[in-house]
C-alpha cells in the first residue's frame, strides 16, 4: 500500500521562531494505540524546533522511545521553507511472508537548486531478526494503521518547553491525504 500527505509545516532553514514546535505525520497500529508500542508505530515525519530535518522511525515492543528502528537514510536534512512550500511525504509498505519493506518517500522544494527534490529510504523488517516483524504484520494485515497528523509544542523530542518564541501561532496545513491499498 501507499500513503501520501501533502502539507506545510512550521519548519524552514533558520526556523528559530519555531523553537519547541514538533509537527508529526505518523501512524498507530491495531487498537489505535491501545497497548502501545506492541501494535507498532510508524513515524513518517517528525521535525523539531523549526529545523527541516525529517526524522523517520518505527516503534514496537523491542524498539521504542529512544531506541526506534530507522531507515538507512535517516534523518533527511532539507534545505527548505516548509512554511510556504509543502512537503510531500509518502510511505509505502510491501508485506511478504517473512519481511515487510517500508519505504519513506520525501519530496520538497529545495531552496539552493530552486527545484523540487526527492529522496527515499527503505527499512526492511524481517521475521526472526529481533525487529518485531509480527507486530507490524498483524497491524498491516489486521485493522490496519490509523493516520495521525498533529502539531505538539514542547516536550521530550524538542527538548524544551520554551514555545511560541515570537508570540505567533504555528500551523500544519494539510493540502491532501491519500491512502492506497489498505
Amino acid at each position: 500500500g501507499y500513503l501520501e500527505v501533502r502539507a506545510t509545516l512550521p519548519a524552514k532553514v533558520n526556523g528559530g521562531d519555531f523553537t519547541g514546535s514538533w509537527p508529526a505525520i505518523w501512524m498507530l497500529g491495531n487498537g489505535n494505540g491501545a497497548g502501545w508500542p506492541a501494535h507498532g508505530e510508524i513515524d513518517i515525519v517528525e521535525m523539531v524546533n523549526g529545523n527541516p530535518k525529517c526524522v523517520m522511525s518505527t516503534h514496537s515492543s523491542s524498539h521504542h522511545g529512544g531506541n526506534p528502528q530507522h531507515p538507512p537514510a535517516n534523518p533527511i536534512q532539507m534545505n527548505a521553507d516548509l512554511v510556504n512550500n509543502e512537503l510531500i511525504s509518502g510511505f509505502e509498505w510491501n508485506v511478504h511472508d517473512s519481511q515487510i519493506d517500508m519505504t519513506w518517500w520525501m519530496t520538497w522544494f529545495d531552496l539552493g537548486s530552486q527545484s523540487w527534490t526527492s529522496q527515499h529510504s527503505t527499512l526492511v523488517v524481517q521475521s526472526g531478526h529481533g525487529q518485531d516483524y509480527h507486530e507490524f504484520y498483524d497491524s498491516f494485515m489486521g485493522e490496519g494503521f490509523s493516520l495521525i497528523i498533529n502539531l505538539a509544542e514542547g516536550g521530550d523530542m524538542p527538548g524544551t518547553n520554551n514555545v511560541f518564541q515570537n508570540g505567533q501561532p504555528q500551523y500544519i496545513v494539510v493540502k491532501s491525504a491519500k491512502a492506497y491499498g489498505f
Side-chain angles (χ1 to χ4, degrees), residues 52 72 86 89 107-108 128 153:
E86 67 192 38
S89 53
T107 303
W108 66 95
E153 294 291 338

Side-chain angles (χ1 to χ4, degrees), residues 8-182:
T8 57
L9 311 167
K12 62 181 182 176
V13 174
N14 300 319
D17 289 347
F18 301 125
T19 296
S21 70
W22 184 0
I25 301 169
W26 54 300
M27 301 190 312
L28 284 173
N30 286 344
N32 208 15
W36 184 91
H39 301 291
E41 172 183 324
I42 299 168
D43 297 327
I44 301 168
V45 173
E46 284 189 289
M47 296 183 182
V48 294
N49 296 319
N51 184 355
K53 179 172 76 173
C54 182
V55 175
M56 307 161 291
S57 58
T58 65
H59 298 266
S60 55
S61 292
S62 300
H63 304 276
H64 57 86
N67 184 38
Q69 297 180 85
H70 299 285
N74 179 76
I76 296 174
Q77 183 67 55
M78 301 172 186
N79 183 19
D81 176 355
L82 300 177
V83 174
N84 294 302
N85 301 304
E86 67 192 38
L87 172 65
I88 304 168
S89 53
F91 181 76
E92 178 183 356
W93 62 95
N94 291 291
V95 180
H96 308 285
D97 289 337
S98 61
Q99 78 178 42
I100 303 170
D101 301 329
M102 299 185 212
T103 303
W104 286 255
W105 297 88
M106 299 297 153
T107 303
W108 66 95
F109 187 77
D110 183 79
L111 296 174
S113 66
Q114 290 292 295
S115 64
W116 288 92
T117 301
S118 293
Q119 188 172 338
H120 71 278
S121 188
T122 300
L123 172 66
V124 177
V125 176
Q126 297 177 314
S127 179
H129 286 83
Q131 295 178 289
D132 297 325
Y133 164 85
H134 291 287
E135 293 180 14
F136 292 102
Y137 180 89
D138 290 346
S139 287
F140 279 121
M141 302 308 287
E143 289 179 22
F145 280 82
S146 299
L147 174 65
I148 302 165
I149 302 170
N150 72 285
L151 174 57
E153 294 291 338
D156 290 340
M157 193 164 171
T160 184
N161 287 318
N162 188 12
V163 298
F164 301 113
Q165 296 289 315
N166 62 2
Q168 298 299 308
Q170 301 171 7
Y171 303 96
I172 293 178
V173 178
V174 177
K175 307 287 182 167
S176 67
K178 302 173 184 176
Y180 305 90
F182 265 105

